[in-house]
Amino acid sequence: MSVTVDGDKTSSVPVRVRRVLRGPAPERVPALIGTAVTLVGLLDIAAGVFPRFRASRVHALAEVLPGTLGPLSAAVSLCAGVLLLVVAHGLKRHKRRAWRAVVLLLPLGAVAQFVWRHSVLGSLLSLGLLALLLRHRDQFAALPDPRSRWRALANFVVMGAGSLALGLVVVSAHPRRVVGDPSLTDRLEHVLLGLVGVEGPVAYTHGVDWTVGYSLGALGTLTALTTLYLALRPEHPAARLTDEDEVRLRALLDRHGGRDSLGHFALRHDKGVVFSPSGKAAVCYRVVSGVMLASGDPIGDVEAWPGAIERFMDEARAHSWTPAVMGCSETGGQVWTRETGLDALELGDEAVIDVDAFSLSGRAMRNVRQMVKRIERNGYTTRVRRVRDLDDEELDLVRRAAADWRGTDTERGFSMALGRIGAPGDGDAVIATAHLTDPDGSDGPDGSDGPYGDLKAMIHFVPWGPDGMSLELMRRDRSADPGMNELLIVAALQAAPTLDIRRVSLNFAMFRSTLARGERIGAGPVLRLWRGLLLFLSRWFQIESLYKFNAKFQPRWEPRFVVYRTGRDLPRIGLAAMQAEGFLSLALPRPFARRRPARTPRPCAHVVPPRNSREHEVSAA
């Protein structure tokens, strides 16, 4: 059977696609080796810390395991154990550099086994593991992850904390050899001084002080050397959208942008992109904590999607990243699962309004209608325009207001956010603004001029093909009346026909079907329990409030899916998605954040730094 890939019909492609993208189940050898190395590392650490362990039957078994250097000093055992734990994670992720490190260390371990312990069995096991690694070397081909100088600081913090905790264990592991009864403060001081090679206040008998001193000094040296290595190695930044990539993506959106409401969000400059061999389709992504996150459907011709998806999966395999897709449509989910063998799970629903069918009349729209009329009676007016119709002064005012009215310090948005207003090439975007001017001519309800004049709220839509728009950002002045969101959405929907807009995407409501079915009569206990959990999480994440806010406008719901490899990957994908969307930040606190000088806007580039787009102040509304 033949399929069409990148516009060419061929009978050989399907076999290749299945072999490359689906392929056999992941090899278990790297995972098994990584697990074995982890166990050996833990045994090495235990052998270096606890003197009784070195004389136990378990240690007699540990001595013949690869990597264990039994009779060597406790310092060498500790360092070996820590390094093995670090390398084991890389082996499980098929990292080439981790494989090279183990291949270099195993012969040294074998020599140490024979010279120091005269252990033939231990040396043979080390060499046997080396032979196994060499035989399966093709499974350890993953390239390094994106990295920066901040990894050095993270390593210093993590390794320093680990060395401090492990040092306290080392200092306390010899209770019968301690002179006196040192307090916890004395032990902590002894560890801190020992990490830098200085003798502390705790004293031991029978030569234990040498063992403790060398162990602490080795941990401090290991922390310093690894931090220095990470600080001096060259940076390998994450993929970014280049000018050429943006031009190619805009060309694809001009031809096929009407298919997916999230298509325009592919133009975020903090995303990378892979194109199909023919260039007719592309997949945009971001790598977060080892997860390669794609958002929405592939861009471009549907027939060329398999080629772009294949390139995406090849890139994920090359770096041993976990592939995942957030917020794809039902059609996109079918193509992803068919071409890759991945699974799909319904994540929520997108609220879409058909402009021709929208009306404020009827009982279902009574609350929205009453709120809009009340705000209009308070003196608010609205303006809905294309961004290209704003002059430079007003556009700059809107940008500054959007930045100032942002509700959080972190930048939010990934799959449904663009993060800029009025950049070159985005002139077709639509912006609706709310204004309030007192009868006496002053701006603001208190009769004083506000920092942004009479501007009180705004919403920003990005193009969705030639006849649609997708909500990207909502901001309002905190002093404005509640209901600004409803006012501006209604104004945008009423002005849509004059802008040749026929459909509007409002927002994405996570787990909408669960919330809707769980509140109905006759819902089962499992469904009610799941709904209760979502309501609990809504205290921190606007799950229920977004659903109810969107439901006010009586939209039709389009399901959106998350595509993943295995169920074990879902927690990791969820954390990565929260990081990408800005709900979970691992960055430095704001006082310690590095300030970057302002840059001159480049052609086809964003002018305003990414903000927490599509952040609806639903609770205030």
Side-chain angles (χ1 to χ4, degrees), residues 380-517:
Y380 286 89
T381 59
T382 59
R383 300 180 65 187
V384 181
R385 295 156 289 171
R386 297 280 185 182
V387 170
R388 60 171 174 263
D389 296 330
L390 276 68
D391 56 38
D392 294 340
E393 182 179 357
E394 186 175 6
L395 183 59
D396 180 68
L397 180 71
V398 168
R399 288 170 177 164
R400 290 189 289 110
D404 187 45
W405 294 342
R406 187 178 60 193
T408 61
D409 291 334
T410 57
E411 309 282 358
R412 290 186 179 174
F414 167 64
S415 57
M416 299 180 182
L418 187 62
R420 61 179 186 258
I421 299 176
D426 292 337
D428 287 338
V430 175
I431 187 165
T433 55
H435 307 264
L436 176 62
T437 303
D438 281 358
D440 59 1
S442 61
D443 299 327
D446 58 355
S448 60
D449 292 335
Y452 307 109
D454 63 352
L455 181 63
K456 295 301 177 183
M458 70 182 73
I459 60 176
H460 182 235
F461 296 88
V462 298
W464 174 14
D467 62 348
M469 60 184 184
S470 184
L471 182 60
E472 191 266 337
L473 173 146
M474 297 189 76
R475 302 279 167 79
R476 72 177 185 91
D477 189 339
R478 297 295 178 178
S479 63
D481 292 353
M484 291 291 102
N485 294 340
E486 287 86 344
L487 173 69
L488 289 175
I489 287 179
V490 169
L493 291 171
Q494 291 176 339
T498 63
L499 300 174
D500 296 327
I501 300 297
R502 298 290 177 265
R503 50 186 180 166
V504 177
S505 170
L506 284 187
N507 202 354
F508 173 74
M510 292 185 61
F511 308 112
R512 182 206 65 88
S513 59
T514 300
L515 293 172
R517 294 197 303 266

Side-chain angles (χ1 to χ4, degrees), residues 61-315:
L61 174 63
E63 286 183 335
V64 300
L65 291 177
T68 302
L69 309 177
L72 290 180
S73 66
V76 175
S77 183
L78 278 176
C79 290
V82 173
L83 290 176
L84 285 175
L85 290 180
V86 175
V87 173
H89 179 66
L91 287 177
K92 291 181 178 181
R93 295 190 59 201
H94 303 246
K95 291 298 181 180
R96 189 68 175 179
R97 288 187 176 181
W99 178 87
R100 290 173 180 172
V102 176
V103 167
L104 291 176
L105 291 174
L106 280 178
L108 297 178
V111 172
Q113 289 280 356
F114 184 77
V115 172
W116 291 93
R117 293 185 56 257
H118 308 289
S119 173
V120 178
L121 180 58
S123 300
L124 291 178
L125 284 175
S126 297
L127 295 177
L129 183 57
L130 175 64
L132 185 63
L133 285 171
L134 293 174
R135 178 182 178 183
H136 297 280
R137 60 183 179 274
D138 57 330
Q139 297 184 31
F140 298 91
L143 300 176
D145 291 340
R147 57 181 182 265
S148 67
R149 296 286 189 267
W150 294 108
R151 290 286 183 90
L153 179 60
N155 178 83
F156 178 77
V157 173
V158 174
M159 289 289 291
S163 297
L164 181 62
L166 191 56
L168 286 174
V169 176
V170 171
V171 170
S172 306
H174 309 271
R176 298 183 180 181
R177 300 290 187 263
V178 178
V179 177
D181 186 18
S183 63
L184 179 61
T185 303
D186 293 333
R187 296 172 189 268
L188 182 60
E189 181 182 355
H190 192 89
V191 173
L192 292 175
L193 293 175
L195 291 177
V196 296
V198 179
E199 186 177 355
V202 181
Y204 299 89
T205 61
H206 297 83
V208 174
D209 53 343
W210 290 97
T211 302
V212 174
Y214 279 127
S215 298
L216 295 178
L219 289 174
T221 303
L222 184 63
T223 301
L225 290 179
T226 54
T227 302
L228 184 65
Y229 165 75
L230 293 174
L232 296 180
R233 69 176 180 173
E235 293 191 32
H236 184 73
R240 299 293 184 189
L241 200 66
T242 65
D243 294 341
E244 181 182 356
D245 292 337
E246 184 173 349
V247 170
R248 296 177 66 183
L249 284 175
R250 287 187 182 275
L252 293 178
L253 289 172
D254 288 341
R255 294 192 295 269
H256 307 284
R259 210 208 58 79
D260 186 14
S261 64
L262 307 186
H264 200 85
F265 299 122
L267 298 176
R268 287 180 61 100
H269 293 103
D270 56 0
K271 291 183 178 181
V273 60
V274 289
F275 289 90
S276 65
S278 66
K280 296 180 180 179
V283 175
C284 295
Y285 67 92
R286 185 196 297 176
V287 179
V288 182
S289 298
V291 178
M292 192 175 182
L293 276 176
S295 58
D297 293 343
I299 307 299
D301 189 353
V302 176
E303 292 186 351
W305 283 7
I309 292 175
E310 179 180 355
R311 289 284 180 87
F312 176 88
M313 297 299 291
D314 288 342
E315 189 77 6

